[in-house]
Amino acid sequence: MIRIAVVGSRGRLGAAVARFLESEPGYSVTRVSRDDLDLSDLRVVEDVIGGLEFDLLFNSAALTAVDFCEGEEELAMTVNADAPGKMAEIAASKGARMIHVGTDYVYGGEEDAPRCEGDLALPKSAYGRSKLAGDEKVMAVDPEFLVIRTSWVFGPDRPSFLDMMLDRAREHEVVAAVADKVSTPCYSEDFGKLLVSLIGVEGAGGLVNLCNSGSCSWQQYAQVGLDSLVACGVPVKTEHIGAVGLANMTQFVAPRPVFTAMSTEHFHEITGVKPRPWQEAVDTYVRDHYAKRLQVSGT
Ligand SMILES: NC(=O)c1ccc[n+]([C@@H]2O[C@H](COP(=O)([O-])OP(=O)(O)OC[C@H]3O[C@@H](n4cnc5c(N)ncnc54)[C@H](OP(=O)(O)O)[C@@H]3O)[C@@H](O)[C@H]2O)c1
């Protein structure tokens, strides 16, 4: 039995991971949410994490509001870097492993090839800098700890960009999304399953990218989701997602990287498992969750 503590268990990714591991034989899960632990207070981190019994500490809690972080870099550094660093020290002192979740926003996004684990990270934003510092602090404690970098997370536990675009298409005749920013979506339910393959690999450590396979712009991502919604027979006001340039998104406070498609080749090499294409994962989510929720609520 692997005793795993999931920190961030109410978040989009953490909730899916906790639920999946609870359904798997061989895992005993302790959920740790913000109600149990405020990561902005390192003494609380020490007390709460220090008081838990676990073999594996999984952390997906983070200050994820990219624009908010831009004006609150000190807080972002505490929550996204110092707290994971402290958690890693505690895990090491207990002889436990740690898996920490990182982001594609650590990359500058200037090169147009999928990002690999060995690529130089040059974050453009306070969020990206704080997350990179977190990755480094965790790996400085033990290079065998895993830092899993993911991107564009969507899933049933908390609305994401995808839900927002589908909501808009049901409510408005004109909907557009950024067509010149590229990355790779990650279905939180797939992440949970894929994580188990990674946990099972003896000696897997360091940086690993994990998301669905392939790449797309925000516009393509939203269009595939909308196509699935239309195929489910859900009434929409438009079947077309228009294109807008990243430079026109004047409401963004923090600079965003332009190209952070993620290569999952390293994950495939070490686990033998290939994440399914993002289009299939988006279709599954829209059919099994987004459209179903509408049918249940009668809207
Ligand atoms: N979402 C994405 O597209 C994306 C992309 C790349 C990487 N990631 C990374 O993936 C991980 C999970 O992201 P997510 O999508 O699950 O984000 P999320 O839904 O925002 O979840 C983050 C969790 O962290 C918790 N949290 C925030 N500040 C905290 C604090 N001071 N103390 C304790 N808990 C705190 C939040 O608490 P509340 O429940 O109170 O909100 C939330 O449950 C993060 O490390 C993120 O950097 C996400």
Side-chain angles (χ1 to χ4, degrees):
M1 182 69 73
I2 301 177
R3 297 167 304 167
I4 178 163
V6 176
V7 179
S9 63
R10 240 181 16 209
R12 194 179 295 121
L13 194 65
V17 164
R19 186 173 52 250
F20 184 73
L21 292 176
E22 281 163 355
S23 73
E24 280 285 285
Y27 289 93
S28 132
V29 177
T30 303
R31 292 179 178 237
V32 185
S33 77
R34 196 178 190 146
D35 290 343
D36 312 301
L37 171 62
D38 179 0
L39 294 175
S40 66
D41 186 337
L42 298 182
R43 275 174 314 182
V44 173
V45 175
E46 198 148 1
D47 288 350
V48 174
I49 302 296
L52 294 174
E53 301 282 338
F54 54 83
D55 307 304
L56 177 54
L57 180 63
F58 175 87
N59 175 45
S60 62
L63 198 49
T64 54
V66 175
D67 289 330
F68 175 79
C69 288
E70 205 60 19
E72 295 283 347
E73 189 155 1
E74 204 176 316
L75 178 63
M77 279 290 173
T78 304
V79 173
N80 294 349
D82 299 336
K86 175 63 70 190
M87 286 190 251
E89 287 170 16
I90 298 166
S93 73
K94 288 174 181 284
R97 282 173 83 192
M98 178 164 176
I99 298 180
H100 174 67
V101 180
T103 173
D104 60 313
Y105 271 47
V106 298
Y107 297 114
E110 266 88 31
E111 306 85 356
D112 60 0
R115 298 294 79 206
C116 296
E117 288 78 356
D119 292 345
L120 186 65
L122 281 173
K124 280 178 162 340
S125 62
Y127 169 69
R129 286 189 290 276
S130 69
K131 290 292 292 179
L132 178 60
D135 297 355
E136 290 170 347
K137 280 181 187 246
V138 169
M139 284 190 295
V141 171
D142 187 337
E144 293 299 306
F145 284 173
L146 271 165
V147 173
I148 302 182
R149 286 190 179 146
T150 191
S151 51
W152 288 0
V153 180
F154 65 96
D157 295 284
R158 195 170 276 201
S160 66
F161 164 82
L162 178 59
D163 303 79
M164 182 182 77
M165 297 309 292
L166 299 178
D167 290 349
R168 283 191 192 164
R170 290 170 43 237
E171 289 156 12
H172 302 283
E173 276 154 21
V174 178
V175 179
V178 171
D180 57 357
K181 175 175 162 55
V182 172
S183 190
T184 307
C186 177
Y187 186 22
S188 61
E189 304 271 296
D190 286 4
F191 185 100
K193 288 180 208 146
L194 295 163
L195 177 68
V196 168
S197 330
L198 198 52
I199 293 173
V201 177
E202 188 80 19
L207 280 175
V208 180
N209 293 346
L210 181 50
C211 46
N212 287 102
S213 58
S215 64
C216 56
S217 68
W218 264 331
Q219 185 214 3
Q220 291 165 324
Y221 176 25
Q223 185 64 61
V224 165
L226 182 53
D227 292 346
S228 298
L229 192 64
V230 171
C232 289
V234 171
V236 292
K237 294 211 166 139
T238 179
E239 294 189 9
H240 175 69
I241 305 288
V244 61
L246 185 57
N248 297 106
M249 301 298 285
T250 48
Q251 66 271 42
F252 285 168
V253 176
R256 264 70 169 171
V258 171
F259 191 99
T260 58
M262 302 286 269
S263 165
T264 53
E265 272 310 301
H266 179 53
F267 175 84
H268 183 205
E269 271 163 27
I270 56 179
T271 61
V273 180
K274 218 179 168 92
R276 63 176 162 162
W278 66 267
Q279 295 93 329
E280 278 178 30
V282 166
D283 186 56
T284 302
Y285 169 67
V286 173
R287 286 172 191 277
D288 291 357
H289 294 282
Y290 186 93
K292 248 186 204 148
R293 262 196 316 265
L294 295 176
Q295 282 149 9
V296 170
S297 69
T299 50

